[in-house]
Amino acid sequence: MFPLPLIPINIACLGLESMLYGIFLTLFILSFALRPRESCPRAILYSSSFIFFIVSLHWVLSVAQSFQAFVFYRDGAAPVEFLSDVSQLLAVAKGGTYMIIVTIGDLAMIYRLWTVWNRNKMVIILPIAMFVGQCVFAVVLVSESFTPHANLIHNPGVYASALTLGTIGLCMTTFCINVYSTALIACRIWRAEQSNGTINSKFGFVITLLIESLALNSAWGVVYVIFYAARIWAAYIVADTQAPITGIAFVLINVRVGVRHVAGGCVEK
């Protein structure tokens, strides 16, 4: 994975994340426009607001990091030096925000699994256990960013070695939580649709399945694990765009509920 083309990676990350953030912002506004505030449960309102804050914060930190690297740090003469030093405050803040995003995504998967399975506690014992382990690995990753050897250029071997345990552990727990939860959610929805006889079209059912199971968030996490295992530097781009992807996957459920609410109102009229 080393040496890393840090400048192309940073530009690609900022461009792609900005585009995805625009999509997320549009869907976020649409979800509340389709669903009146009085009909929206407080839990959904608060969780949506928190998701919006964290995703927006990650994007703002990405923009600030790029400006710091290309404009302010040594008058823009050493962007690679700045970007390679992951102990910088902006880099640590972005890393911490990323951990929060991953945590939110996995908690959303576990909560979605719990609700789809009629609040059956047995189905979430395994993912909760994996989630606890994930939190430990996340703390290891963030703490390693404060160490003196946290540099992707000057000391890549030591830094990569120090982060191997935390990164692999985080990747594997996230991968297992997402695959396990998505598979069980998909199975439950499939059985429910079949028993109710509400599968009108394969296309509509697939779209419902993808939205309800948060498959987009799961797929993005799986792609990151594959890229990281293959030591492909594009893994950094996938990781940097995880924030808006998690936000989009979450808010799509609200949009779908809003569309059904509007459609139900039209039918009543």
Side-chain angles (χ1 to χ4, degrees), residues 109 113 117 177-189 213 218:
M109 289 296 301
L113 175 65
W117 278 81
I177 290 172
N178 281 274
V179 171
Y180 174 89
S181 301
T182 301
L184 287 184
I185 291 172
C187 177
R188 186 70 171 184
I189 294 175
S213 65
S218 301

Side-chain angles (χ1 to χ4, degrees), residues 123-250:
V123 298
I124 61 171
I125 291 177
L126 183 59
I128 285 179
M130 291 186 288
F131 177 76
V132 172
Q134 181 194 81
C135 292
V136 175
F137 291 124
V139 171
V140 171
L141 276 173
V142 174
S143 62
E144 282 295 335
S145 298
F146 289 99
T147 57
H149 59 248
N151 194 292
L152 296 175
I153 298 297
H154 298 154
N155 209 357
V158 176
Y159 181 54
S161 176
L163 292 183
T164 295
L165 176 62
T167 303
I168 292 178
L170 185 69
C171 288
M172 292 309 300
T173 50
T174 300
F175 176 82
C176 292
I177 290 172
N178 281 274
V179 171
Y180 174 89
S181 301
T182 301
L184 287 184
I185 291 172
C187 177
R188 186 70 171 184
I189 294 175
W190 172 262
R191 288 168 57 185
E193 294 282 342
Q194 275 194 324
S195 62
N196 295 333
T198 54
I199 302 179
N200 298 321
S201 68
K202 290 184 178 180
F203 178 76
F205 173 71
V206 170
I207 295 299
T208 299
L209 198 63
L210 291 176
I211 293 175
E212 293 291 338
S213 65
L214 295 171
L216 177 62
N217 184 65
S218 301
W220 212 258
V222 170
V223 169
Y224 172 73
V225 172
I226 293 173
F227 280 3
Y228 184 84
R231 303 185 69 80
I232 300 174
W233 58 261
Y236 286 87
I237 298 177
V238 177
D240 229 29
T241 51
Q242 181 71 55
I245 288 295
T246 300
I248 290 170
F250 182 86

